[in-house]
Amino acid sequence: MALKQLLETKPPTSYFKPVPIHLCILIKREQPRVVTWDFGPTGASPASTKKNVVVVFSDGQSVAKTTIYEEFSSKFVEGGSYFLRGYGLRGQSVPYAINITRDTMFFRSGPLNISPELRRMAESLICPPSPLTPLSGCRDMTGLFTLEGELVEISMVKKISKSREAYPLRQIKLREGETLISISLWREAAVSDVLQVGTNIRVSHLRTTQSQYGTQVQSTNASTLEEVISEEVAGVCGVVDVEGSPDDLNLLLVTDRTALISRALWAPLDAHLINPPLMVKIKIIGQKVCKIELFKD
């Protein structure tokens, strides 16, 4: 029976035992997951973690993904082809997932012909597409998406309890131009170390949900957070002292953006600011300039 047909056909009885199937292991990847959390006055931290393994396999016609316990992952290697015997199906409805147990046997066998398209589909199962989306249009998205913006607000970590499980939740707000969006960060995303007000960040694999408060933007298990580092050619119109920070200046760029820069970093360029804008090549991490030099055509 073909893999796709197996996973999309309801078993005739609850005692159904699938016949052996010939599969190639396309991707085998560890997936750490925090099982329990420690909560304190300053936030949350992982207390215990388990490492499951995500597997994507193919019969040469379609691809499918399943998650198995780490203890069973030594039975096979990525790239190998096997006949599986003693596996089951997991799920309440189609499409089902293949269930690997201690009784599952992997018999080494001949290679399967896997097309480049199937390999691309396998990668998409591990890391689904998440297109960069303007903040102003994200509430209309129906799939996964990525947002970038200035981090302007971070809430304290909240402890959420559900079904005898407790996990962290944190609310953040991103700004892009005049648009402000709230994002709910769950579990590992809620304790990311890139969360600092004033930085520009990128949050991937977000989704929208509906609640009594309207459309909400939330993280998923695939979400990642990273600080945005930008390198560009920009025009500097002027500089101003930063109140309360004598070692820093604020640059005004021709795009009406501002960026912090240390006095020491700006000093070699100050004499060149005669006929603004002064064109410079600039590298910005978050909202602060970390490298700047005169731009030469």
Side-chain angles (χ1 to χ4, degrees):
M1 180 181 290
L3 177 63
K4 184 178 179 65
Q5 181 184 0
L6 174 68
L7 301 182
E8 295 186 355
T9 302
K10 184 176 180 179
T13 71
S14 58
Y15 303 102
F16 173 70
K17 292 184 178 180
V19 299
I21 186 170
H22 194 190
L23 298 175
C24 176
I25 309 299
L26 300 183
I27 298 175
K28 175 184 177 183
R29 193 163 299 173
E30 285 189 351
Q31 187 180 64
R33 180 180 175 84
V34 178
V35 181
T36 58
W37 296 84
D38 284 331
F39 292 88
T42 59
S45 59
S48 62
T49 303
K50 67 178 180 180
K51 289 184 179 179
N52 288 336
V53 175
V54 177
V55 181
V56 181
F57 33 66
S58 174
D59 62 349
Q61 301 175 44
S62 63
V63 296
K65 180 179 75 170
T66 194
T67 302
I68 69 172
Y69 292 120
E70 184 183 22
E71 62 189 279
F72 303 144
S73 65
S74 61
K75 296 183 175 185
F76 55 89
V77 297
E78 183 174 292
S81 293
Y82 305 86
F83 265 92
L84 269 65
R85 181 178 184 271
Y87 64 94
L89 298 180
R90 185 174 65 241
Q92 299 299 316
S93 60
V94 298
Y96 299 102
I98 285 184
N99 189 34
I100 306 298
T101 70
R102 64 179 68 256
D103 296 324
T104 305
M105 301 178 71
F106 288 76
F107 292 85
R108 293 192 304 276
S109 189
L112 286 164
N113 183 27
I114 307 298
S115 68
E117 177 61 23
L118 287 175
R119 295 188 184 277
R120 285 192 291 269
M121 291 169 63
E123 288 292 342
S124 294
L125 287 179
I126 291 291
C127 186
S130 180
L132 183 61
T133 303
L135 264 62
S136 58
C138 69
R139 288 193 175 94
D140 298 325
M141 297 293 290
T142 55
L144 296 171
F145 56 91
T146 296
L147 295 180
E148 283 186 9
E150 179 187 358
L151 184 55
V152 296
E153 188 176 315
I154 307 173
S155 75
M156 296 293 291
V157 171
K158 294 181 180 179
K159 180 180 179 180
I160 304 298
S161 298
K162 185 177 181 181
S163 301
R164 294 183 297 177
E165 182 183 7
Y167 41 84
L169 167 66
R170 173 175 263 161
Q171 304 286 340
I172 65 171
K173 288 185 178 179
L174 294 187
R175 180 170 60 200
E176 182 183 50
E178 299 299 319
T179 305
L180 198 64
I181 289 290
S182 294
I183 302 174
S184 298
L185 300 178
W186 297 88
R187 300 181 184 273
E188 287 86 342
V191 297
S192 171
D193 56 6
V194 305
L195 295 176
Q196 297 182 28
V197 170
T199 59
N200 281 349
I201 66 170
R202 179 185 298 116
V203 189
S204 75
H205 296 90
L206 297 167
R207 63 185 176 94
T208 58
T209 59
Q210 298 299 321
S211 73
Q212 59 181 331
Y213 305 106
T215 302
Q216 307 292 311
V217 178
Q218 303 195 31
S219 66
T220 64
N221 288 337
S223 291
T224 60
L225 288 83
E226 59 183 330
E227 195 169 3
V228 177
I229 301 175
S230 63
E231 291 187 280
E232 58 187 285
V233 174
V236 178
C237 297
V239 298
V240 66
D241 294 336
V242 177
E243 186 176 349
S245 184
D247 294 330
D248 290 322
L249 297 168
N250 222 339
L251 300 183
L252 175 64
L253 307 180
V254 293
T255 55
D256 197 28
R257 291 169 52 204
T258 60
L260 285 173
I261 187 171
S262 69
R263 287 183 182 274
L265 194 58
W266 172 252
L269 284 80
D270 191 67
H272 296 276
L273 189 60
I274 301 172
N275 296 310
L278 175 65
M279 301 308 295
V280 295
K281 189 175 181 180
I282 196 169
K283 182 177 182 180
I284 301 175
I285 300 180
Q287 292 293 309
K288 190 160 187 177
V289 176
C290 63
K291 183 179 179 181
I292 189 171
E293 59 186 35
L294 290 174
F295 175 69
K296 300 177 181 179
D297 290 323

